[in-house]
Amino acid sequence: QRTQTLRSSAGPTWAQTLIFQHLLLYENPQDTKESPPLVVLELWQRDSWGKESLWGRSMWPPVVWLDLQDRILPPMRWHPLMKELGK
């Protein structure tokens, strides 16, 4: 999925929730809830000439609901960005 594109911002802040409706996983649903695969977020920047470069990447486990009736959206959280592995 993609978030909004923020233009002309040296220090952008996103406050968006991405909901994956029909995600097909090949394992026991309870195992997925207890140990979900990581979500990887990549941030790209485009300079005034149109060249794109990776600005940073963040990874974290998502919240998984097996019963949508019990779904409560989690609060917004900060996630650190890494430009390179370990940095």
Side-chain angles (χ1 to χ4, degrees), residues 18-32:
L18 300 177
I19 298 175
F20 295 82
Q21 292 292 337
H22 301 285
L23 189 61
L24 184 59
L25 298 173
Y26 293 97
E27 64 181 73
N28 180 323
Q30 191 61 39
D31 291 343
T32 301

Side-chain angles (χ1 to χ4, degrees), residues 1 5 7 11 16-17 25 27-28 33 37 43-44 56-57 75:
Q1 292 189 11
T5 299
R7 301 187 187 284
Q16 291 182 261
T17 300
L25 298 173
E27 64 181 73
N28 180 323
K33 180 177 176 143
L43 299 173
W44 292 80
R57 174 179 294 126

Side-chain angles (χ1 to χ4, degrees), residues 6-62:
L6 300 179
R7 301 187 187 284
S8 302
S9 178
T13 300
W14 285 267
Q16 291 182 261
T17 300
L18 300 177
I19 298 175
F20 295 82
Q21 292 292 337
H22 301 285
L23 189 61
L24 184 59
L25 298 173
Y26 293 97
E27 64 181 73
N28 180 323
Q30 191 61 39
D31 291 343
T32 301
K33 180 177 176 143
E34 292 171 10
S35 181
L38 292 177
V39 170
V40 178
L41 173 73
E42 290 185 337
L43 299 173
W44 292 80
Q45 63 183 359
R46 183 179 299 151
D47 64 19
S48 57
W49 296 283
K51 181 181 176 193
E52 292 183 345
S53 60
L54 181 64
W55 197 38
R57 174 179 294 126
S58 186
M59 294 180 276
W60 66 91

